[in-house]
C-alpha cells in the first residue's frame, strides 16, 4: 500500500511474531498479528473475477449517470417544495442554454470513453494483497517510526514512548493516517491542477474560444452536463489531472476507486442546479452548486475558478465571488 516507504527506507522484513515482549527488537520491530479494519477487504479484488482496476474505471462512470439521474428525477418531479432550492427556474435551462441535451450526452459519453482508455493504459494492478504483506509493510513503517521518534525525542525518551505507543501508532498510521493524507493530498493536486488550467482557459482568448467556451454553452448548468466539454479540455483538465494526482500520491487501486468516484460525484453535484442544505457534497465546503453557478453567469465568468473540492485558490488569489459580492456590484451600478 505504501511503496513510498520502501523507496526511502528499504523493503519490509519477514518478522511477524505474534508474541512481542518489546516493540523494538534489535534492528527491527515486533508487532502483533495484523488487525484488518472494517473498510478493507483482504482479498485480491473487491469482486471476484473483476480486477480492481476495472472497478476504478467503471465506478465513476456509473456514479456519474446514477447521480445525474437522481437530479433529473428531481427536475421532472414537479414537487413544489423544491422550488425554493432551485438556483434557476426550470424553463431557463431550455431557453438560455445553447447545447441540446443530446449534444451534451454525446460529449459526456466521449469523455467517459476517453478516460476509460487512458485508465486502461495508466492504472497498474495491485500487488498481492495478503495479511503477510500487510504485516511486512507495517514492520517497515514501524522501523521508520522508530527512526523518526528517536531523533525527535532522543534515545531514552523515544524508547519509552515507542514501547508505550509504538504498536498502536504504527497500526493507526498504516490503516488510517497515511491513507487519509494520501487522499487529501490527491484532492489538493486535483484542485490545484484544475484551478490554474481553468483560469488560464478564461484568460487566454484562443484557449477560451477554441476549447473552454464549449462548456459555457450551458449558461444554466445541470447535473448530466457536468462533463460537457471539448474533448481536449476533458482529457487535459479532468482525466489527466486525476491520473497525475493518483500517481504523485502513490494511491492504491482502492484509494483510486474512491478518488475517481468521489471527484465525479462532486463534479456532478456542483452542476446540479440546486442549493440543497441537506446535500453532503454541498456541506463539505463552500465550493458547491451555487458557487459554481456564479461562474457560469456573465457577471462571474472571470471568478470562481476553483473546482471541484475547495475554494482556497480563489480566496488566496482574489478570484472569489459570492452572491453578496454580486449584490454589492449591482448596488454600485444603480448609484452611478
Amino acid at each position: 500500500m505504501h511503496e513510498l516507504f520502501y523507496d526511502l527506507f528499504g523493503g519490509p522484513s519477514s518478522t511477524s511474531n505474534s508474541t512481542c515482549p518489546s516493540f523494538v527488537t534489535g534492528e527491527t520491530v515486533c508487532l502483533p498479528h495484523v488487525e484488518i479494519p472494517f473498510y478493507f477487504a483482504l482479498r485480491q479484488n473487491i469482486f471476484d473475477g473483476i480486477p480492481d482496476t476495472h472497478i476504478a474505471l467503471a465506478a465513476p462512470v456509473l456514479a456519474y449517470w446514477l447521480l445525474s439521474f437522481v437530479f433529473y428525477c428531481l427536475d421532472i418531479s414537479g414537487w413544489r417544495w423544491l422550488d425554493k432550492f432551485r438556483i434557476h427556474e426550470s424553463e431557463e435551462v431550455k431557453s438560455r442554454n445553447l447545447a441540446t441535451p443530446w449534444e451534451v450526452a454525446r460529449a459526456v459519453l466521449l469523455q467517459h470513453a476517453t478516460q476509460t482508455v487512458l485508465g486502461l493504459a495508466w492504472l497498474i494492478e495491485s500487488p498481492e494483497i495478503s495479511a503477510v504483506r500487510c504485516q511486512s509493510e507495517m514492520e517497515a513503517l514501524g522501523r521508520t517510526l522508530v527512526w523518526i521518534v528517536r531523533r525527535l525525542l532522543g534515545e531514552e525518551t523515544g524508547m519509552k514512548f515507542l514501547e508505550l505507543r509504538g504498536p498502536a501508532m504504527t497500526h493507526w498510521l498504516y490503516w488510517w493516517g497515511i491513507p487519509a493524507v494520501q487522499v487529501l493530498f490527491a484532492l489538493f493536486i486535483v484542485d490545484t491542477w484544475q484551478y490554474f488550467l481553468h483560469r488560464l482557459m478564461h484568460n487566454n482568448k484562443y484557449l477560451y474560444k477554441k476549447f473552454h467556451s464549449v462548456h459555457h454553452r450551458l449558461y444554466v448548468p445541470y447535473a448530466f452536463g457536468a462533463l460537457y466539454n471539448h474533448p481536449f479540455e476533458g482529457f487535459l483538465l479532468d482525466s489527466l489531472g486525476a491520473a497525475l494526482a493518483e500517481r504523485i500520491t502513490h494511491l492504491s487501486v482502492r484509494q483510486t476507486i474512491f478518488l475517481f468516484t468521489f471527484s465525479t460525484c462532486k463534479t456532478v453535484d456542483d452542476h446540479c442546479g440546486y442549493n440543497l442544505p441537506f446535500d453532503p457534497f454541498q456541506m463539505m465546503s463552500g465550493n458547491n452548486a451555487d458557487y459554481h453557478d456564479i461562474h457560469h453567469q456573465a457577471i462571474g465568468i472571470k471568478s470562481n475558478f476553483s473546482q471541484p473540492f475547495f475554494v482556497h485558490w480563489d480566496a488566496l488569489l482574489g478570484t472569489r465571488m459570492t452572491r453578496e459580492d454580486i449584490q454589492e456590484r449591482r448596488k454600485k451600478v444603480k448609484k452611478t
Side-chain angles (χ1 to χ4, degrees), residues 169-189:
M169 196 170 180
T170 302
H171 181 275
W172 182 86
L173 284 170
Y174 182 80
W175 291 111
W176 299 96
I178 293 172
V181 169
Q182 285 176 291
V183 171
L184 287 172
F185 187 40
L187 300 186
F188 173 78
I189 291 172

Side-chain angles (χ1 to χ4, degrees), residues 316-327:
L316 289 171
L317 300 178
T319 54
R320 184 177 184 180
M321 179 179 286
T322 64
R323 294 292 178 186
E324 290 74 20
D325 294 330
I326 293 175
Q327 291 177 359

Side-chain angles (χ1 to χ4, degrees), residues 268-293:
V268 171
D269 196 271
D270 287 348
H271 293 80
C272 71
Y274 291 91
N275 190 8
L276 299 171
F278 47 82
D279 185 330
F281 292 106
Q282 298 188 27
M283 294 168 64
M284 66 173 282
S285 80
N287 198 339
N288 51 35
D290 188 62
Y291 187 84
H292 191 67
D293 181 79

Side-chain angles (χ1 to χ4, degrees), residues 6 9-15 132-133 135-140 143:
Y6 300 159
F9 299 102
S13 74
S14 59
T15 304
V132 172
R133 186 172 188 274
Q135 186 83 16
S136 296
E137 289 182 341
M138 290 179 69
E139 290 168 5
R143 294 197 302 274

Side-chain angles (χ1 to χ4, degrees), residues 6-272:
Y6 300 159
D7 297 338
L8 294 175
F9 299 102
S13 74
S14 59
T15 304
S16 57
N17 296 332
S18 59
T19 57
C20 295
S22 176
F23 176 62
V24 182
T25 306
E27 295 299 319
T28 186
V29 298
C30 184
L31 291 166
H33 281 311
V34 62
E35 296 180 12
I36 307 299
F38 72 90
Y39 71 82
F40 189 76
L42 193 62
R43 51 180 179 267
Q44 194 61 33
N45 297 301
I46 298 173
F47 300 105
D48 292 336
I50 306 176
D52 281 353
T53 51
H54 291 182
I55 300 297
L57 301 177
V61 176
L62 291 173
Y64 186 95
W65 291 106
L66 286 173
L67 187 57
S68 295
F69 181 71
V70 169
F71 284 114
Y72 174 73
C73 290
L74 295 182
D75 290 338
I76 65 173
S77 66
W79 293 337
R80 303 306 301 174
W81 65 269
L82 278 173
D83 290 347
K84 63 181 178 181
F85 301 119
R86 296 183 195 273
I87 299 173
H88 296 277
E89 296 294 332
S90 299
E91 289 303 315
E92 286 188 83
V93 176
K94 299 178 182 178
S95 63
R96 302 177 71 181
N97 285 340
L98 302 178
T100 66
W102 167 240
E103 289 174 324
V104 172
R106 185 173 56 188
V108 172
L109 289 171
L110 178 59
Q111 165 69 14
H112 283 157
T114 301
Q115 73 184 35
T116 300
V117 171
L118 174 66
L120 288 172
W122 183 269
L123 292 178
I124 302 170
E125 292 286 348
S126 299
E128 179 188 3
I129 296 175
S130 66
V132 172
R133 186 172 188 274
C134 292
Q135 186 83 16
S136 296
E137 289 182 341
M138 290 179 69
E139 290 168 5
L141 175 59
R143 294 197 302 274
T144 303
L145 180 64
V146 170
W147 185 87
I148 292 172
V149 170
R150 279 174 168 173
R151 278 149 186 80
L152 289 176
L153 302 181
E155 186 71 22
E156 184 177 351
T157 304
M159 289 300 294
K160 290 180 180 179
F161 175 83
L162 288 167
E163 290 305 323
L164 184 63
R165 302 292 185 187
M169 196 170 180
T170 302
H171 181 275
W172 182 86
L173 284 170
Y174 182 80
W175 291 111
W176 299 96
I178 293 172
V181 169
Q182 285 176 291
V183 171
L184 287 172
F185 187 40
L187 300 186
F188 173 78
I189 291 172
V190 170
D191 267 357
T192 302
W193 178 267
Q194 294 208 11
Y195 174 87
F196 288 100
L197 279 179
H198 188 192
R199 185 172 180 176
L200 176 64
M201 287 190 172
H202 275 274
N203 292 334
N204 183 290
K205 292 182 179 179
Y206 173 80
L207 292 177
Y208 182 82
K209 184 177 180 180
K210 185 71 175 178
F211 303 114
H212 192 55
S213 61
V214 173
H215 183 67
H216 280 272
R217 294 182 70 198
L218 295 184
Y219 187 82
V220 180
Y222 52 85
F224 81 84
L227 290 182
Y228 174 60
N229 298 309
H230 187 283
F232 175 73
E233 179 185 346
F235 166 77
L236 181 66
L237 200 68
D238 296 306
S239 301
L240 186 57
L244 289 174
E246 178 269 336
R247 190 57 52 87
I248 290 170
T249 55
H250 294 260
L251 296 183
S252 69
V253 177
R254 294 180 187 178
Q255 287 172 304
T256 301
I257 294 172
F258 172 80
L259 172 68
F260 288 180
T261 307
F262 179 69
S263 60
T264 295
C265 291
K266 183 66 170 65
T267 300
V268 171
D269 196 271
D270 287 348
H271 293 80
C272 71

